[in-house]
Amino acid sequence: MSLELTLATKLAPAIAPAPSRPSYDQVVLPGDYPDPTVVKIGDTYWASATSAEWGAVFPIFSSKNLLDWELVGHVFPDKLPDWAGSNFWAPEFYQENGRTYVYYTARKKGGMLCVAVASADHPAGPYLDHGPLVGQEAGSIDGFAIPDEHGDLYLIWKEDGNSCYQETPIWAQRLNDERTALIGEATELFTNDVRWEGPLVEGSALVRHNGWFYMFYAGNSCCGKGCQYATGVARSRALLGPWEKYAQNPILDSNDTWKCPGHGTVAELDGRWFLLHHAYFKQSHEFVGRQGLLSEFTWNADEWPEFVRRSPQAPPLTDLSRLHVADEFAGSQLGLEWQWPIGQQPARAVADGRLRLGAEPSRLGAVLARRTHTATYKAATTLDFAALPVDTFAGLAAVGDPYNALALMAGNGQLQVWHLKSGLQQCLTSVFLEPCDTLSLRLEVWGGQRYRFAYSTDGATWQPMPTESFTVNGTYLPPWDRGVRLALVAQGAEDTSATFHNFILRNQR
């Protein structure tokens, strides 16, 4: 026997190990992606999520395996629907006869929350909006389309009674053949009448299995520090009822790692069943927001779903490095991950490794933002300091919304720390700078609450901004329903701009 063959024989295992069964209980949409939805069309899974008050509206992801997702576009990438002004929540896909529909929630300008629909010839778009389907006096949210046992398509939605201290019925009503209007009468399926559900039931997602309709739904308060969200399930032989709630509800609840899991959609892969839903990671909670989790469940002997784990485990530290950002503004367009406050899409141009951001005069100015993934991180940027026009300020900010931010802003030969709270802005500290062509800015955050700012005129030596204490308190930043973003900002006259060389984000825990 040759030496090579002898070594190969000794090193080869006697029996090839069986392939491991992959664990799908993990974060698949890290960052602020509430109310995620998923559908399989052909051999591809498509997902989206609430975008709330950030554009572009409703991200579109694609995947072959439910684990690895690519952001490929948005339902409304540039222009909002003419009728809608805010609260872009809970998109749900439905595919039929080669056409894809997205049923979604938005607030009518000056009016109530409505469920509306848009459609496209391809899941990635472009989408044509068809306007609202239903908008009750208390508001209507969380639309989901499913055929009944006879093949007639129905819209399921929640009446938003908790907004006015009333019950929150789940309704069903038939859709027309064009899938763009409701016909017939609405039928109430059930409401919040069990203690754990608290003030509401919502986020209905339905699937048919072994002759049963199963509705996965969320109960109790969804958001913020005091959230009590959890997931329940009900079933019925007929879509319009009667519906039976599972006696063991909630079937998915908070654990030591994740808090307030709920509002998800069911998917199947290779005979395995999953719920794509959101939850808060306890270590970062509201500062990062509700992240997209994939949780596997099975069917028990009584044909009720049971989750393999009560909630996914913490993401390993090695995963955080995959979420680092180092945008050098290559090419001619910004990446799809960048966001802006809805209705305030800023003027910008990318060329020669630079981002030119058009300034705006109000509050913080023009905002281009990225989601955060942890509550402890460092972010930095370099900008053209000497080229800033008089009375134009530009910099790096932690942004809850356009009315609440902490920012390190350069302009008029100075560097300032701005504190914006409830729309009121004050300068916490400032330093005068010697003339320099470029200026690097750095922001450090610990636990989402403590902020520290520094600058460098040579890109190597960093000077901390002088503040009354070592760190500035940013606990107030996240809104009730969203996580903090890191943003490049430019404030000044509309005919001015600021030029940025890069954007760097390094996650820690």
Side-chain angles (χ1 to χ4, degrees), residues 127-210:
Y127 280 85
L128 172 67
D129 186 60
H130 303 286
L133 296 166
V134 58
Q136 295 152 294
E137 183 177 355
S140 304
I141 69 172
D142 297 350
F144 189 96
I146 186 172
D148 73 356
E149 62 274 19
H150 307 296
D152 296 323
L153 190 67
Y154 277 74
L155 180 73
I156 315 297
W157 78 92
K158 168 211 173 182
E159 184 175 355
D160 200 39
N162 55 290
S163 65
C164 49
Y165 305 102
Q166 298 176 5
E167 290 185 344
T168 58
I170 303 295
W171 295 93
Q173 191 168 347
R174 190 174 170 184
L175 283 154
N176 66 0
D177 291 341
E178 293 75 30
R179 311 318 193 195
T180 57
L182 298 179
I183 58 176
E185 299 295 323
T187 299
E188 181 179 330
L189 304 187
F190 61 79
T191 189
N192 54 311
D193 55 9
V194 181
R195 183 175 181 179
W196 76 268
E197 297 168 347
L200 60 86
V201 289
E202 63 185 17
S204 303
L206 289 84
V207 64
R208 201 171 187 194
H209 177 67
N210 286 350

